Amino acid sequence: RAKAKSRGTISIFEPEMDQQIRDRRVLHQELSVAIKNGELSLYYQPQAAAGGSVAASQIIGFEALARWHHPVRGCVPPGDFIPLAEESGLIVEMGEWILREACREAASWAIPLQVAVNLSPAQFTHGDLVGLVHSILLETGLTPDRLELEITEGVLIEDFDRGLSLLRRLKALGVRISMDDFGSGYSSLSYLQAFPFDKIKIDRAFVINLGRNPQSAAIVRAVIDLGHGLEMSIVAEGVETEAQLDFLAEEGCDAVQGYLIGRPAPIGQFAALVGGDQLAETVRRAG
Ligand code: C2E
Ligand code: MG
Ligand code: MG
Ligand code: MG
C-alpha cells in the first residue's frame, strides 16, 4: 500500500483504486457492445420560444440526449459514459450512431421542428465529420437547416484554425451551430467573434441563480444583448420556474429549455408535438 499521498501523484497500489480501474475496464467493454446490443437510445428535450407563460410556449425543437440502459446497472447517465466513450475513442462510433438516429427520427416528424445533437471534441479531431454529417443528411432526407450541432468551447480550444475551418464547412452544408454551456468553462468573448455560431446556450448555472443573486441576472442580460448584437439567437438552459421564464422572456431571450417546459423523454411522449406517432411510424416504415 502506498504510504504518502500527495497532490497530483497516483498511488497505484491502493486496492480501491485497483478496483476502480477494473470497474472502468468492465464498463468500457460493456459500452463497446452497447450499440450492437441496442442499449443506447436517445431522449428528447423540448425547446420553446420564450413566450409569456409555459402554456403559451411554442415548441420549436428538441435536443437529443444519449441514454444508456445498462442491463444490470440500469440507466447510466451521460455524464458518466460520455467521458468514458471519449477517453476510449468509442465516442466516434457512438457519435455517428447518435447523429444518424437523431436525424432519422427528426426526418420522420410530420411537423418540421429542429433537432439539436451534441458533438464531442473527439468527433472534431477524428475522421471526416463534415463528410459524415453530409452523408447522414442525404441518407435520412433531413433538411440541413433543421439540424443543429451543439459544441462546447473545449472543442475549439485545441486547434483554433482547424475548428474554424470545420465550423465553416459545416455551416456551408446548411446546418446550424450552437455554443453549448456558454459561460461554464473558459468561454472567451473572442470565440463568439471568431466562430460563426447561430445560437448561444446560456449555461444552467446562471439560470439557477436568477432571482437568487443579482450577478447572475446581470450576466444573463449581458449575454442576451451580446448575442443579439452578434446576430445570434439565445437559448437559456435549465429553466425550472415560471419566475425564471418571466425574467428571460422580459429580457428578450429567444428560447428556453428545461424541466419547466419538459424533461428529456423518449420521443413517444412528444408524439402530439411532432405530428403523432402513428404518422411518424408510417413515414419511418415507408422510408
Ligand atoms: P447538455 O448538452 O448541456 O445537456 C443538458 C443537460 O441538462 C441534460 O442532462 C439535461 O437533462 C439537463 N437538464 C435539462 N433541463 C434541466 C433542468 O431544468 N434542470 C436540471 N437540473 N437539468 C436539466 P443529461 O441528459 O444528463 O446530459 C448531460 C450532458 O451529457 C449534456 O449536457 C452533454 O454535454 C452530454 N451529452 C448528452 N447526450 C450526449 C450525446 O449524445 N453526445 C455527446 N457528445 N454528449 C452528450
Ligand atoms: Mg447540449
Ligand atoms: Mg448545455
Ligand atoms: Mg452540459
Side-chain angles (χ1 to χ4, degrees):
R1 201 181 158 93
K3 242 195 283 172
K5 266 198 254 177
S6 64
R7 268 177 193 277
T9 57
I10 300 170
S11 25
I12 51 171
F13 301 112
E14 295 277 354
E16 327 71 276
M17 191 86 79
D18 203 39
Q19 186 58 46
Q20 271 178 23
I21 291 167
R22 264 197 308 256
D23 282 352
R24 291 177 69 76
R25 202 169 293 150
V26 170
L27 205 59
H28 172 230
Q29 276 158 8
E30 292 172 337
L31 189 57
S32 69
V33 292
I35 299 178
K36 285 193 250 345
N37 292 351
E39 293 164 14
L40 280 193
S41 73
L42 295 182
Y43 275 21
Y44 292 83
Q45 185 177 34
Q47 285 179 1
S53 65
V54 190
S57 298
Q58 173 92 21
I59 302 300
I60 54 172
F62 293 88
E63 177 175 2
L65 293 158
R67 293 293 179 264
W68 180 17
H69 309 274
H70 189 280
V72 179
R73 295 172 212 252
C75 192
V76 183
D80 290 350
F81 74 83
I82 296 284
L84 190 66
E86 271 165 6
E87 273 166 39
S88 59
L90 270 176
I91 193 68
V92 177
E93 185 194 344
M94 191 179 287
E96 179 173 340
W97 181 88
I98 290 166
L99 193 60
R100 182 172 285 112
E101 180 62 22
C103 290
R104 189 166 44 194
E105 177 55 51
S108 78
W109 300 340
I111 299 166
L113 301 173
Q114 299 264 122
V115 69
V117 178
N118 293 284
L119 293 183
S120 285
Q123 290 176 275
F124 266 72
T125 47
H126 293 81
D128 174 19
L129 178 64
V130 182
L132 179 70
V133 171
H134 184 57
S135 64
I136 288 178
L137 287 169
L138 289 177
E139 178 192 321
T140 59
L142 186 70
T143 319
D145 63 7
R146 290 183 54 204
L147 177 63
E148 202 173 282
L149 300 173
E150 296 194 0
I151 61 171
T152 52
E153 67 225 327
V155 165
L156 303 169
I157 268 167
E158 283 168 28
D159 189 340
F160 187 99
D161 293 331
R162 187 181 152 83
L164 184 57
S165 139
L166 275 170
L167 287 198
R168 284 186 174 149
R169 287 163 60 214
L170 287 168
K171 293 263 300 188
L173 295 178
V175 305
R176 309 264 160 90
I177 311 286
S178 303
M179 157 111 287
D180 201 357
D181 300 346
F182 185 74
S184 67
Y186 301 96
S187 315
S188 106
L189 297 182
S190 61
Y191 277 80
L192 292 184
Q193 189 179 29
F195 297 105
F197 298 112
D198 297 286
K199 206 183 239 189
I200 296 173
K201 298 189 78 177
I202 302 178
D203 193 67
R204 201 170 77 215
F206 300 106
V207 176
I208 290 171
N209 289 316
L210 284 178
R212 281 193 213 156
N213 76 48
Q215 290 89 342
S216 285
I219 289 171
V220 168
R221 196 177 281 131
V223 173
I224 292 171
D225 287 347
L226 177 69
H228 284 165
L230 297 169
E231 293 178 348
M232 296 172 187
S233 74
I234 315 292
V235 184
E237 296 190 289
V239 178
E240 296 185 358
T241 69
E242 289 273 4
Q244 290 163 352
L245 176 61
D246 287 348
F247 175 89
L248 292 160
E250 189 113 324
E251 294 299 330
C253 185
D254 301 284
V256 291
Q257 183 179 344
Y259 295 168
L260 182 69
I261 306 298
R263 288 183 181 248
I267 196 66
Q269 283 202 21
F270 303 110
L273 295 172
V274 300
D277 55 353
Q278 266 176 324
L279 181 56
E281 201 45 45
T282 314
V283 174
R284 191 179 343 215
R285 280 190 195 155

